[in-house]
Amino acid sequence: GAGVSQSPSNKVTEKGKDVELRCDPISGHTALYWYRQSLGQGLEFLIYFQGNSAPDKSGLPSDRFSAERTGGSVSTLTIQRTQQEDSAVYLCASSLAGTSVSYEQYFGPGTRLTVT
Amino acid sequence: GENVEQHPSTLSVQEGDSAVIKCTYSDSASNYFPWYKQELGKRPQLIIDIRSNVGEKKDQRIAVTLNKTAKHFSLHITETQPEDSAVYFCAAREGFQKLVFGTGTRLLVSP
């Protein structure tokens, strides 16, 4: 079946502009995650959606970052007034979800954001 | 919250040697520990995971061990091959589903 997809694959934007990154999770996956991976670095957690529950926003680095998940499926990560330090690969992942069982997170191909 | 530390940051081995990557975690309530492999320019993929009710798990040339008392877990790759070259990330579950990742280990296997 189809995996997690993200668009665009690459985005170049000027400092100060807003950008929107899109994630389409695997059908039926109720959990969705956003991570940021700077060059040569690890996976930095940004935000987590689980069904209709309030999202866990504890990883968002500033109030310029926000995310929505509409209809329990597609998610959009928005970065306002982009800064050069926002340049990174933004990865989305999805998984089944349960309270007592952990499920594999499947990652998308990522969006490479470059802020000039 | 959970904190995961991973060592070493880089590891170079000769083909056929074993490789060991170690991680420590801080939250004793964590009970799920996956390992992801990320090849250059590709997305991370799960290679093995372990739950806190077992101490070791093997899958062909890959094994993971967990010491709950010491709060550390390790990835062991035997008979390494050039295609094992990649960045490996450990992680620990925080809460219901959130994963906290280590900083990654770049493994280079030389022929």
Side-chain angles (χ1 to χ4, degrees):
Chain A
V4 178
S5 61
Q6 292 185 245
S7 60
S9 55
N10 282 283
K11 177 71 176 179
V12 180
T13 190
E14 292 180 352
K15 177 182 174 181
K17 300 282 189 180
D18 298 352
V19 295
E20 286 189 351
L21 312 180
R22 176 187 169 103
C23 173
D24 283 86
I26 292 172
S27 177
H29 281 190
T30 57
L32 186 147
Y33 317 78
W34 283 98
Y35 297 92
R36 179 169 70 176
Q37 187 172 32
S38 301
L39 185 62
Q41 300 299 309
L43 296 164
E44 177 189 4
F45 167 79
L46 297 178
I47 189 169
Y48 157 52
F49 295 90
Q50 165 48 29
N52 296 320
S53 302
D56 177 348
K57 304 180 182 180
S58 59
L60 294 179
S62 77
D63 58 8
R64 295 187 295 105
F65 288 72
S66 63
E68 291 184 342
R69 188 177 186 193
T70 55
S73 181
V74 172
S75 177
T76 301
L77 177 69
T78 301
I79 308 173
Q80 297 178 311
R81 305 181 301 282
T82 52
Q83 303 294 313
Q84 289 186 330
E85 59 263 31
D86 299 335
S87 296
V89 175
Y90 289 81
L91 289 162
C92 174
S94 72
S95 74
L96 297 172
T99 56
S100 60
V101 179
S102 292
Y103 294 96
E104 177 179 355
Q105 292 188 19
Y106 292 84
F107 284 84
T111 293
R112 182 176 299 278
L113 175 66
T114 303
V115 181
T116 62
Chain B
E2 177 68 276
N3 181 54
V4 177
E5 295 189 354
Q6 183 172 347
H7 301 280
S9 57
T10 59
L11 179 59
S12 294
V13 300
Q14 291 293 122
E15 182 177 0
D17 289 349
S18 294
V20 180
I21 302 170
K22 299 181 179 181
C23 290
T24 60
Y25 61 98
S26 60
D27 187 354
S28 57
S30 292
N31 59 9
Y32 174 67
F33 308 92
W35 286 87
Y36 283 79
K37 175 183 179 182
Q38 187 177 28
E39 297 179 7
L40 188 62
K42 297 189 176 181
R43 69 191 78 185
Q45 290 191 304
L46 180 73
I47 56 171
I48 195 167
D49 56 17
I50 191 167
R51 303 179 193 279
S52 59
N53 58 344
V54 298
E56 183 176 6
K57 182 177 179 180
K58 289 183 179 180
D59 182 3
Q60 298 183 344
R61 296 186 297 109
I62 294 174
V64 57
T65 59
L66 171 65
N67 183 325
K68 289 177 58 180
T69 303
K71 288 189 285 188
H72 69 69
F73 56 113
S74 300
L75 177 71
H76 304 252
I77 306 174
T78 59
E79 301 172 21
T80 54
Q81 301 169 3
E83 52 265 38
D84 294 330
S85 296
V87 178
Y88 293 81
F89 293 97
C90 64
R93 187 176 88 158
E94 179 181 279
F96 290 135
Q97 287 294 335
K98 175 183 171 182
L99 291 178
V100 177
F101 284 85
T103 51
T105 296
R106 184 173 301 277
L107 175 64
L108 176 61
V109 181
S110 302

